[in-house]
């Protein structure tokens, strides 16, 4: 491969956000899509529950908006919520046009053609799904469509290392003009130059020891955009999924909320149902409340896990609605039609991210951010279940429209992009040090910056992050980049952003809960926005 490649659009990430964007763009422009592993490997593939949209005539846009605002702890941007909810039905139609097969409704009483399920925080059935493997169906279909596009170059097993900006080339007017990309197989770094760059790299839940997310979720796009001068918002709001399967061999297997939507109950080890003690919505309370209740009960009882039980529903109903969960649990010796499932909470969703406007534009001209990597204002202090895939679909469409419009403008000079400096060497003991630092970071983030926080613990975590950062800067400057080093560098940046945001919020709201300030404070009803040193306000058109 040549060391510099040029495209109209460079998309970093191949999940629901990245692929939808690439498919929405005209087939006449040149596009590169970069994926850290295989094209399908990202959170999208593992999404189980479904996608929320107003599809039932008895439901309404206003009701979806109200539910989202309520879950978001009064911190959502109302205009953004309306924009996303109103576009929901079109986004689902687009997926159907791409060939996605959603589960049909066999109940003649219901007016929707498709089966709609209900999840925590939703007051109506509005979650369209493909059994309990919605993400797999969406990702596989979009991947298939992508393969049919002759105008798209797909780079699997490639890591975006850093964004390239004109400021770094000595040009006064700042703009993103590409990215350096590491080929994981050859170890070579290529320079990809583009008129528009889109960060669609997903979330950052790998910063925690226990997570439902796949390994790629190391917050790379958030860290890269921050380093390039973009503001980042609401990073203190990390969502912990209340129910991941607890088994030494099950690597972060999530038990979908839809199980609770269909009547599953949370139980203590002695079989007592406890959620009604914490919230009148019991098991259907929003995730933060359920996760905190489980955390509280586990700590109170010193229990390693609690239990989720759906065995009171007919076995054929459970098997047909939750085939994946049924099969996976059975592999670990748990028959969910007859016994309860051992569960623990795990880091699940990054509500904050790169701050964007209603067209998905970041602070850096030429750079967009979409999907879980972005902060749009939709989720506020807490994401409502199944709103995230919806956000991926809506914002990829908005970004595509904006890019199409801007492609008519004359391109900026991109000929002087500096090539990657490949003079660094590999240090023999580098890998073991990196591995230890990874482990240390994820453990102290879990212990000190997890579901329940205090200022003392946050400050302790901050000191450790600062030390780690110094070591990593040294490694990064002197040694050849590897996947693990790049991810660790990004995780440390993201951990720092989470801790700093958490220290800024001197109240408890949504997903951010601190024992030092256990109540909401109306004067803090604003997002937490962190501003990098290299930030320059952009002129908006
Ligand atoms: C187990 C699970 C269940 C979920 N269930 C639901 C659900 O039912 N409904 C719902 O709405 N949401 C759900 N979510 C959340 C939702 O799946 C995600 O928010 C959404 O899929 C994110 O899509 P994305 O395209 O932004 O990122 P992802 O799908 O995570 O894709 C990120 C992409 O970026 C690439 N990438 C990352 N870093 C780099 C880099 N440095 N260089 C190049 N490429 C890079 C990755 O390789 C990948 O291709 C779930 C999440 C999980 C983990």
């Amino acid at each position: 491969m040549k060391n510099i490649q040029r495209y109209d659009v460079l998309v970093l990430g191949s999940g629901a956000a990245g692929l939808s964007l690439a498919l929405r763009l005209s087939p006449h422009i040149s596009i590169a899509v970069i994926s850290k592993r295989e094209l399908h490997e990202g959170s999208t593939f593992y999404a189980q529950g479904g996608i929320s949209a107003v599809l039932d005539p008895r439901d309404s846009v206003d009701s979806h908006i109200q539910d989202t605002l309520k879950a978001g702890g009064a911190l959502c941007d109302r205009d953004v919520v309306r924009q996303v909810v109103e576009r929901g039905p079109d986004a689902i139609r687009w997926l159907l046009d791409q060939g996605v097969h959603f589960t049909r409704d066999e109940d003649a009483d219901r007016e929707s053609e498709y089966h709609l399920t209900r999840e925590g925080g939703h007051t109506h059935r509005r979650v369209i799904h493909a059994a309990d493997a919605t993400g797999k169906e969406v990702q596989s279909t979009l991947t298939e469509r992508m393969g049919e596009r002759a105008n798209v170059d797909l780079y699997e097993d490639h890591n975006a290392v850093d964004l390239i900006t004109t400021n770094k080339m000595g040009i006064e007017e700042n703009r993103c003009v590409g990215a350096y990309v590491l080929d994981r197989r050859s170890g070579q770094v290529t320079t990809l130059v583009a008129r528009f760059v889109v960060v669609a790299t997903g979330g950052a839940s790998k910063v925690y020891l226990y997570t439902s997310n796949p390994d790629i979720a190391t917050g790379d796009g958030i860290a890269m955009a921050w380093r390039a001068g973009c503001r980042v918002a609401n990073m203190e709001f990390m969502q912990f999924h209340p129910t991941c399967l607890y088994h030494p061999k099950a690597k972060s297997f999530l038990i979908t909320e839809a199980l609770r939507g269909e009547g599953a109950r949370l139980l203590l080890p002695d079989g007592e149902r406890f959620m009604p003690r914490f919230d009148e919505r019991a098991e259907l309370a929003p995730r933060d409340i359920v996760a905190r209740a489980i955390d509280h009960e586990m700590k109170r009882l010193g229990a390693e896990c609690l239990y989720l039980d759906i065995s009171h529903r007919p076995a054929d109903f459970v098997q047909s609605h939750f085939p994946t969960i049924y099969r996976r649990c059975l592999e670990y010796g748990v028959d969910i039609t007859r016994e309860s499932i051992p569960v623990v909470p795990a880091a699940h969703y990054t509500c904050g991210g790169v701050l964007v406007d209603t067209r998905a534009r970041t602070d850096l001209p030429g750079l967009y951010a979409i999907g879980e990597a972005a902060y749009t204002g939709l989720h506020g202090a807490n994401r409502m279940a199944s709103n995230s895939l919806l956000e991926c679909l809506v914002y990829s469409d908005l970004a595509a429209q904006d890019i199409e419009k801007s492609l008519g403008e004359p391109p900026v000079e991109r000929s002087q992009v500096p090539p990657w400096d490949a003079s660094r060497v590999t240090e023999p003991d580098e890998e073991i040090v990196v591995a230890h630092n990874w482990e240390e970071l994820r453990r102290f983030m879990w212990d000190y910056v997890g579901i329940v926080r205090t200022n003392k613990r946050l400050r302790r975590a901050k000191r450790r992050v600062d030390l780690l950062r110094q070591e990593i800067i040294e490694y990064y400057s002197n040694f050849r980049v590897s996947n693990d080093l790049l991810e660790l560098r990004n995780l440390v940046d993201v951990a720092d952003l989470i801790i700093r945001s958490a220290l800024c919020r001197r109240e408890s709201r949504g997903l951010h809960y601190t024992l030092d300030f256990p109540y909401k404070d109306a004067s803090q009803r604003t997002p937490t926005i962190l501003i990098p040193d290299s930030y320059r306000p952009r002129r908006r058109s």
Side-chain angles (χ1 to χ4, degrees):
M1 185 195 296
K2 275 190 273 152
N3 238 11
I4 293 195
Q5 302 275 346
R6 290 172 191 277
Y7 293 94
D8 290 316
V9 183
L10 168 60
V11 185
L12 307 176
S14 59
L19 291 192
S20 306
L21 173 101
L23 287 167
R24 294 262 194 187
L25 288 169
S26 150
H28 305 296
I29 62 174
S30 62
I31 302 171
V33 174
I34 316 295
S35 186
K36 242 189 328 192
R37 300 246 172 117
E38 301 92 338
L39 224 50
H40 71 263
E41 185 60 10
S43 290
T44 301
F45 185 82
Y46 298 95
Q48 298 175 346
I51 311 173
S52 59
V54 178
L55 300 167
D56 185 318
R58 285 161 292 192
D59 193 4
S60 71
V61 164
D62 278 339
S63 163
H64 192 174
I65 291 174
Q66 285 314 320
D67 292 348
T68 304
L69 293 175
K70 188 167 181 204
L75 219 60
C76 306
D77 181 321
R78 276 175 181 272
D79 295 339
V80 166
V81 175
R82 178 164 288 282
Q83 158 160 287
V84 172
V85 169
E86 282 181 347
R87 286 163 188 259
D90 275 351
I92 301 299
R93 261 188 296 278
W94 181 81
L95 281 181
L96 289 166
D97 290 346
Q98 303 307 304
V100 172
H101 292 102
F102 289 111
T103 300
R104 291 187 176 269
D105 195 351
E106 283 153 18
D107 182 345
D109 286 350
R110 299 231 178 88
E111 290 178 42
S112 172
E113 192 183 339
Y114 293 97
H115 182 263
L116 302 174
T117 190
R118 195 176 148 195
E119 294 188 337
H122 293 275
T123 51
H124 280 86
R125 285 185 171 264
R126 65 168 74 99
V127 179
I128 191 163
H129 60 105
D132 62 349
T134 308
K136 187 174 173 193
E137 172 64 17
V138 169
Q139 181 75 47
S140 311
T141 308
L142 297 182
T143 304
E144 213 175 300
R145 294 290 82 77
M146 203 73 265
E148 295 160 3
R149 286 292 181 98
N151 64 322
V152 182
D153 284 347
L154 302 171
Y155 293 77
E156 290 184 306
D157 283 314
H158 280 71
N159 273 44
V161 177
D162 257 323
L163 299 167
I164 306 170
T165 59
T166 47
N167 264 184
K168 294 206 182 109
M169 293 152 51
I171 298 170
E172 174 85 24
E173 198 171 315
N174 203 15
R175 187 176 177 85
C176 185
V177 289
Y180 296 114
V181 173
L182 169 76
D183 180 339
R184 291 166 65 123
R185 286 168 292 201
S186 71
Q188 299 299 309
V189 176
T190 304
T191 307
L192 298 185
V193 176
R195 294 182 65 183
F196 299 96
V197 180
V198 185
V199 164
T201 45
S205 290
K206 270 298 250 194
V207 77
Y208 288 101
L209 190 59
Y210 301 113
T211 173
S212 65
N213 284 200
D215 289 344
I216 58 94
T218 48
D220 298 2
I222 300 172
M224 283 190 282
W226 169 258
R227 290 194 295 266
C230 296
R231 286 173 299 167
V232 160
N234 273 9
M235 289 300 290
E236 69 272 39
F237 299 115
M238 297 295 295
Q239 187 172 63
F240 289 79
H241 196 288
T243 52
C244 278
L245 176 63
Y246 178 72
H247 187 281
K249 290 198 178 132
K251 198 181 164 205
S252 34
F253 182 63
L254 180 137
I255 310 294
T256 175
E257 185 144 3
L259 218 74
R260 280 179 278 134
E262 296 301 341
R265 295 173 193 143
L266 277 161
L267 306 175
L268 298 179
D270 66 3
E272 183 200 329
R273 187 176 174 214
F274 60 92
M275 271 316 296
R277 276 198 271 123
F278 288 86
D279 194 284
E280 62 191 12
R281 291 161 288 185
E283 280 82 1
L284 287 179
R287 283 182 182 167
D288 57 323
I289 294 174
V290 180
R292 257 200 318 274
I294 295 176
D295 190 63
H296 178 89
E297 289 300 301
M298 282 173 66
K299 285 189 176 132
R300 185 175 71 83
L301 299 169
E304 286 187 340
C305 66
L306 297 185
Y307 295 88
L308 185 66
D309 188 54
I310 195 159
S311 61
H312 52 284
R313 301 288 316 255
D316 56 348
F317 171 87
V318 173
Q319 284 167 0
S320 65
H321 276 74
F322 304 106
T324 313
I325 293 176
Y326 173 70
R327 271 196 309 271
R328 277 298 288 276
C329 288
L330 211 51
E331 280 169 29
Y332 297 110
V334 181
D335 179 350
I336 68 171
T337 62
R338 298 153 62 102
E339 59 197 315
S340 39
I341 312 165
V343 289
V344 284
H348 184 56
Y349 186 80
T350 310
C351 289
V354 187
L355 192 148
V356 295
D357 65 10
T358 49
R359 295 192 243 163
R361 299 179 306 174
T362 69
D363 290 324
L364 184 60
L367 183 70
Y368 294 75
I370 53 175
E372 197 171 331
Y375 164 79
T376 62
L378 174 69
H379 307 303
N382 191 1
R383 172 191 72 130
M384 190 166 68
S386 292
N387 267 355
S388 38
L389 282 169
L390 176 65
E391 185 190 42
C392 289
L393 298 169
V394 170
Y395 270 80
S396 55
D397 186 25
L398 293 165
Q401 286 178 31
D402 201 69
I403 290 172
E404 291 278 357
K405 215 169 64 194
S406 313
L407 275 167
E409 296 163 11
V412 287
E413 178 54 60
R414 292 173 292 150
S415 57
Q416 324 150 24
V417 173
W420 176 255
D421 169 14
S423 64
R424 307 158 190 203
V425 294
T426 309
E427 175 78 350
D429 77 343
E430 174 196 346
E431 274 170 27
I432 186 75
V433 177
V434 168
H436 282 169
N437 286 350
W438 249 88
E439 172 80 16
E440 186 192 339
L441 174 77
R442 298 182 63 212
R443 191 169 282 283
F444 74 67
M445 285 299 287
W446 183 261
D447 288 341
Y448 301 149
V449 198
I451 298 174
V452 176
R453 299 164 179 172
T454 66
N455 271 349
K456 194 169 156 199
R457 290 182 204 160
L458 290 175
R459 279 196 291 269
R460 193 173 289 165
K462 178 80 174 101
R463 281 196 294 277
R464 301 222 180 163
V465 161
D466 290 345
L467 278 176
L468 276 181
R469 163 160 306 113
Q470 278 168 20
E471 278 181 28
I472 288 156
I473 289 174
E474 188 193 324
Y475 268 102
Y476 185 76
S477 325
N478 295 313
F479 304 126
R480 189 165 289 162
V481 291
S482 64
N483 176 59
D484 285 355
L485 176 59
L486 290 175
E487 289 188 341
L488 178 64
R489 176 179 176 239
N490 292 328
L491 282 176
V492 167
D493 280 348
V494 166
D496 188 51
L497 294 169
I498 296 172
I499 297 166
R500 282 168 55 187
S501 305
L503 282 166
C504 287
R505 189 163 291 283
R506 298 167 72 81
E507 63 162 352
S508 289
R509 183 185 292 274
L511 299 166
H512 174 70
Y513 183 77
T514 164
L515 294 175
D516 293 319
F517 309 100
Y519 302 107
K520 253 189 214 161
D521 171 358
S523 71
Q524 296 188 48
R525 242 182 86 174
T526 48
T528 307
I529 299 178
L530 298 180
I531 305 177
D533 294 341
S534 50
Y535 168 68
R536 306 276 172 277
R538 74 181 274 176
R539 275 175 282 143
R540 301 276 172 192
S541 56

